Amino acid sequence: MAVLFLRLNANAARMDMVDVSNNNGYMSAAEYISMRNEFGVKAVTVKISEGGTYKDPYAASNIKNVQAAGMYINGYHFARYATKEQAIVEADFAGKTAKTAGLPVGAVLATDVESTEANNQSKATNDRNNAAFMKEIQKFGYRTDIYTSGSWANNKMTIKGKTGWIAGYPFVPAGKKWYTNNNAWQWSGSAHFRISYGGFDVSQLYTDYYTAGQKSTVKPTNKAAVKANNRKANKNISKTDASAKWVKESKTYTLKTAVKLHTGASTSSNAITILPAGITIKTDQAIIKGGYRWVRQPRFNGYGYLATGPASNTLEYVKSGATYTYYTVKYGDSWWAIAQRNGLNMTTLASQNGKTIYTTIYPGQRLVVR
């Protein structure tokens, strides 16, 4: 487990399932394969939609690449409903969006209940709204569940029997299991895998609910195709290196803003992923090319390239050897409260941590505040 950037407690739960959304940027099939092979991840649940209008821009590519990696795929909708009627409207929107994105029939399409709208409702009202949403979702051929926090499961809604995907931190004491009466327990919201960027929600499964019932066949990994793509990528990288005068530069940079990681030292090359502000990367070479100062990042299957700033050699997008001040989230904290305490704008605080103000934060998480 040492290959995780996040230091895991020896008694930490299994990483059976990972939650992926637009906050994590583009995720390739190779990255999902690494999750599966190196960390034993069985299933991925991707964000499909939010409220009545937002469609996650990476839902379709995430579904396709998870299936290509031979893993189980499910989805969730971030609920904004406050009435039964709104719940039905959102369920129709989520179901149609999931169909368009390619979520297979029989997969779980859970309702993620953690919004301000739901927090303002009574337990009885939330129960009624959740039931209406889940009943409507079944019309699209999807199974349903409720995704929420431990405190909300106890106080804001009714979670019965083998129902619920429950988030509760911090790590459990040795020998104890939380929420074993539920389908899944999300035990961390800030895991960092070796080849991926951004904090990931990781969960332990207690039933087969999230790995069963899919009528479409999950495609096995095409190892020959993966190897061929890697050889092609490495060949292109070699050509790029040969045509430019690279200089050795073993440095560590911290991103000031979100930056695209490319397959080559050119803005026209494909983007591997979007690196969020605040993360630290290590590089081995640098070059001035195409109007930008580029650096090369070694990766598990070759290299990634990112611009650190304009050709004037200024580090406009990164800080070299920068250090950050972190804040550990406490019970009762919110984006607004933490931002006010540290003299920041709430949106800026969320952005520099690779998140949005709608992302739920949990006690024990570390946020960059300086």
Side-chain angles (χ1 to χ4, degrees):
M1 302 296 283
V3 288
L4 279 178
F5 286 117
L6 174 69
R7 290 188 177 182
L8 300 180
N9 184 297
N11 300 311
R14 301 191 307 268
M15 288 184 291
D16 296 326
M17 184 167 71
V18 174
D19 167 1
V20 176
S21 73
N22 57 293
N23 289 322
N24 303 114
Y26 176 78
M27 295 286 294
S28 67
E31 288 172 305
Y32 285 119
I33 290 170
S34 177
M35 283 186 181
R36 183 199 66 191
N37 291 347
E38 297 184 48
F39 305 100
V41 176
K42 301 175 183 177
V44 178
T45 302
V46 305
K47 183 175 182 179
I48 298 295
S49 52
E50 180 175 333
T53 58
Y54 180 81
K55 300 177 182 180
D56 191 297
Y58 296 105
S61 62
N62 279 328
I63 292 169
K64 178 182 178 181
N65 290 335
V66 168
Q67 289 180 310
M71 301 161 76
Y72 292 99
I73 182 69
N74 298 286
Y76 70 91
H77 167 81
F78 191 97
R80 291 284 180 187
Y81 49 74
T83 67
K84 178 180 178 181
E85 292 72 25
Q86 289 176 338
I88 293 172
V89 169
E90 287 194 23
D92 285 333
F93 173 69
K96 292 175 182 177
T97 304
K99 287 284 188 182
T100 301
L103 188 68
V105 169
V108 175
L109 181 48
T111 177
D112 181 0
V113 189
E114 56 179 296
S115 68
T116 302
E117 291 88 343
N119 190 39
N120 291 333
Q121 308 306 314
S122 67
K123 185 174 183 179
T125 299
N126 280 332
D127 284 346
R128 181 195 64 193
N129 296 345
N130 293 341
F133 179 94
M134 292 191 289
K135 181 179 180 180
E136 191 72 12
I137 280 295
Q138 294 178 55
K139 295 180 181 179
F140 294 88
Y142 298 123
R143 293 177 297 123
T144 64
D145 205 5
I146 300 173
Y147 178 20
T148 193
S149 68
S151 61
W152 279 48
N154 293 330
N155 303 304
K156 286 290 181 180
M157 64 197 72
T158 302
I159 304 292
K160 297 179 179 179
K162 289 294 183 181
T163 303
W165 171 16
I166 310 299
Y169 311 140
F171 295 121
V172 295
K176 292 186 178 181
K177 295 179 180 179
W178 284 1
Y179 312 117
T180 53
N181 290 328
N182 306 112
N183 290 318
W185 166 44
Q186 182 186 306
W187 55 270
S188 176
S190 55
H192 286 256
F193 295 95
R194 181 169 64 86
I195 63 167
S196 304
Y197 296 88
F200 289 84
D201 296 335
V202 291
S203 301
Q204 176 171 339
L205 300 177
Y206 289 116
T207 73
D208 65 354
Y209 194 67
Y210 283 85
T211 58
Q214 296 185 16
K215 294 182 180 179
S216 62
T217 302
V218 178
K219 298 177 182 178
T221 304
N222 187 336
K223 295 182 178 179
V226 172
K227 288 182 179 179
N229 288 336
N230 287 346
R231 284 197 298 270
K232 184 178 180 181
N234 288 333
K235 184 178 180 180
N236 290 337
I237 288 168
S238 297
K239 288 181 178 179
T240 300
D241 288 351
S243 64
K245 295 181 180 179
W246 291 86
V247 295
K248 186 176 181 180
E249 183 187 82
S250 297
K251 287 189 176 182
T252 299
Y253 295 97
T254 302
L255 303 189
K256 295 179 183 178
T257 183
V259 176
K260 286 185 179 180
L261 185 70
H262 291 270
T263 55
S266 169
T267 55
S268 62
S269 62
N270 293 332
I272 299 172
T273 188
I274 298 176
L275 308 179
I279 71 163
T280 299
I281 62 165
K282 293 183 178 181
T283 67
D284 67 348
Q285 291 191 15
I287 191 175
I288 302 294
K289 183 181 178 184
Y292 293 93
R293 181 184 187 278
W294 292 87
V295 292
R296 190 177 77 169
Q297 179 202 37
R299 290 170 66 82
F300 83 108
N301 63 339
Y303 300 96
Y305 300 81
L306 66 151
T308 63
S312 58
N313 209 28
T314 57
L315 301 180
E316 185 174 327
Y317 312 140
V318 302
K319 293 180 180 180
S320 181
T323 58
Y324 275 84
T325 301
Y326 292 88
Y327 173 79
T328 301
V329 178
K330 300 179 177 60
Y331 286 97
D333 275 338
S334 65
W335 285 114
W336 182 86
I338 298 171
Q340 290 293 306
R341 192 177 301 133
N342 291 278
L344 295 170
N345 175 277
M346 183 169 58
T347 302
T348 300
L349 172 64
S351 176
Q352 69 187 25
N353 284 278
K355 303 179 185 301
T356 74
I357 60 174
Y358 301 111
T359 305
T360 301
I361 53 176
Y362 299 96
Q365 280 185 267
R366 290 209 315 160
L367 300 177
V368 176
V369 294
R370 288 287 187 279

